[in-house]
Amino acid sequence: MCEQLKTLGNAADEGVFRAVLESTPVSAYFQEADVDLDFFQQVQAKIDDREQKNLFLQELEVCKQRVMKQYYKRFVQYCKMCGGNTWEAMRKLLAFEMDMCTIMLRVNMLKSTNDSLPGELYPQFGELYPFIHDVFAGLSDYDSVMNALNDYPEYRDCMEQAVTQEKGLLEVFKAKKVAYLEECINTQYNLGFIYAYLQLREMEAENVFLMVQGCVMAQSDAARFQLRK
């Protein structure tokens, strides 16, 4: 990915950069998120600088969230336009997805020096929107985020479960998301069914990848142990 960013950053002019983006289905999201040639040129300077590596990764994540915010906005509009069974099936699922995104953003950026940044990235949909966004603005630790969700027991329980079971918060949220996907699939005869099916298949592929990766690491550790003998 870094090599691709370098290629874009070395583009002679903004026209070349935009031509690359406009050839992809997500070009509109990048443009609406104000991700332009200047951004990639600034990022390029930090790719090979070890001292700025963390800053580079953070800026790349911010870029991703800006693009995802535009994607969610368009996708919600599309589902509303479809109406009927599709909107009924997708409404709860999308609300959970975007609330999950909002909470993860707040937790991951607790140490950010820019207090206004997370608020700029929150999706504009879900059970938490817009009321909790203002509450999240002044929080500084994990417990305060959890306490702010007292009126949303489902999300608070997920955060508590991550602590008590020593799991990653994203892992807990993904497990919870499966129930929403299954509920969406059970509706059938709408686009929500297709979306939920593809999401579950993607999760399945991720799980297979993790299992294979674990097996490879185990074999590598076993080989090193044999060499030491």
Side-chain angles (χ1 to χ4, degrees):
M1 182 175 182
C2 290
E3 292 301 320
Q4 294 171 342
L5 291 179
K6 284 184 178 181
T7 303
L8 287 176
N10 288 329
D13 54 58
E14 191 168 354
V16 176
F17 174 80
R18 291 196 177 279
V20 173
L21 279 186
E22 287 172 2
S23 66
T24 67
V26 297
S27 60
Y29 308 142
F30 279 87
Q31 293 172 16
E32 291 173 3
D34 293 327
V35 178
D36 54 16
L37 181 62
D38 290 338
F39 172 83
F40 279 100
Q41 287 177 334
Q42 292 171 10
V43 168
Q44 179 194 357
K46 300 171 184 175
I47 290 176
D48 297 321
D49 190 336
R50 291 185 178 180
E51 294 182 358
Q52 299 192 62
K53 182 179 179 180
N54 290 335
L55 182 60
F56 157 68
L57 293 175
Q58 183 178 354
E59 290 186 1
L60 203 59
E61 183 64 22
V62 169
C63 170
K64 171 190 169 184
Q65 294 303 331
R66 282 178 176 162
V67 174
M68 288 301 297
K69 179 179 180 179
Q70 299 304 320
Y71 160 74
Y72 280 133
K73 179 181 177 181
R74 291 282 193 93
F75 194 40
V76 168
Q77 290 174 347
Y78 174 74
C79 291
K80 283 184 177 179
M81 181 185 68
C82 291
N85 292 335
T86 294
W87 176 238
E88 286 300 316
M90 290 296 295
R91 183 173 53 83
K92 289 176 62 177
L93 174 58
L94 288 176
F96 177 81
E97 278 192 15
M98 295 186 203
D99 288 342
M100 177 180 72
C101 180
T102 298
I103 296 171
M104 290 302 304
L105 274 170
R106 181 64 270 183
V107 170
N108 290 337
M109 302 192 73
L110 284 172
K111 297 181 180 180
S112 174
T113 56
N114 187 348
D115 293 335
S116 64
L117 183 57
E120 298 173 5
L121 305 177
Y122 295 148
Q124 296 178 330
F125 187 73
E127 299 296 328
L128 301 181
Y129 175 79
F131 311 107
I132 203 68
H133 291 190
D134 293 334
V135 177
F136 274 1
L139 305 183
S140 58
D141 57 69
Y142 189 92
D143 288 339
S144 61
V145 175
M146 189 162 56
N147 292 333
L149 295 171
N150 284 336
D151 293 334
Y152 305 90
E154 181 179 25
Y155 302 139
R156 180 184 170 86
D157 289 346
C158 286
M159 295 190 70
E160 287 181 342
Q161 185 179 345
V163 174
T164 57
Q165 298 184 8
E166 297 182 350
K167 293 182 177 180
L169 181 57
L170 183 59
E171 180 184 356
V172 175
F173 271 131
K174 282 187 174 182
K176 187 71 176 178
K177 182 180 175 181
V178 170
Y180 282 91
L181 292 171
E182 290 176 344
E183 181 181 347
C184 195
I185 281 183
N186 289 335
T187 60
Q188 300 186 4
Y189 304 113
N190 61 75
L191 293 179
F193 169 85
I194 300 173
Y195 177 81
Y197 173 77
L198 292 175
Q199 288 271 303
L200 286 171
R201 293 291 291 179
E202 183 180 355
M203 287 183 175
E204 183 181 10
E206 289 177 356
N207 290 336
V208 171
F209 174 78
L210 289 174
M211 286 188 289
V212 171
Q213 194 175 40
C215 291
V216 171
M217 291 177 64
Q219 290 177 350
S220 178
D221 291 342
R224 284 199 296 268
F225 180 74
Q226 290 295 330
L227 288 174
R228 288 177 182 176
K229 283 187 173 182

